[in-house]
Amino acid sequence: MEIKYCWRCKMDVPMLDKEEHAIASKLYAKGFKVLKKDRQERFKELLDYYNDLTGFGETEPNAIVHHAIGMYGPDCENCGKPYRTPEAKLCAACGNKRKITE
């Protein structure tokens, strides 16, 4: 887990590493099989897992799924916020053009 800026949430949030995200994804899928009307109850296992792991207090199951380090690129050399994808060539936050070395 690592604290990173999320462009969807517009704030720094705990981002899950590959192994943590794999567990969260399974719990997310499991939540769709729970026959309860209340979303908090359906995704309780996922919310509890993320909140216990991070101490963040997330209430939106969908947000947890996109809080994965692997979905984002490296930090921008100019502003420090992560590029939106690993392949992104332009920082959406500050407009910096990424210098990609091969």
Side-chain angles (χ1 to χ4, degrees), residues 39 45 60 66 68 72 74-75 80 83 95 97 101:
R39 283 176 41 91
E45 281 188 73
E60 177 52 56
H66 74 251
Y72 295 84
D75 292 341
Y83 287 92
K97 291 185 180 177
T101 57

Side-chain angles (χ1 to χ4, degrees), residues 6-9 13-32 39 42-51 53-54 56 58-72 84:
C6 173
W7 59 271
R8 290 179 181 105
C9 299
V13 295
M15 296 277 183
L16 304 177
D17 65 27
K18 189 175 182 179
E19 294 80 24
E20 295 163 342
H21 190 258
I23 294 168
S25 293
K26 287 178 185 175
L27 294 173
Y28 184 68
K30 186 177 177 182
F32 286 102
R39 283 176 41 91
R42 292 179 74 188
F43 295 99
K44 183 175 180 0
E45 281 188 73
L46 170 63
L47 293 167
D48 287 348
Y49 169 74
Y50 184 80
N51 295 334
L53 181 66
T54 66
F56 186 70
E58 182 63 67
T59 59
E60 177 52 56
N62 294 335
I64 295 170
V65 179
H66 74 251
H67 289 163
I69 294 170
M71 297 172 100
Y72 295 84
R84 287 190 179 183

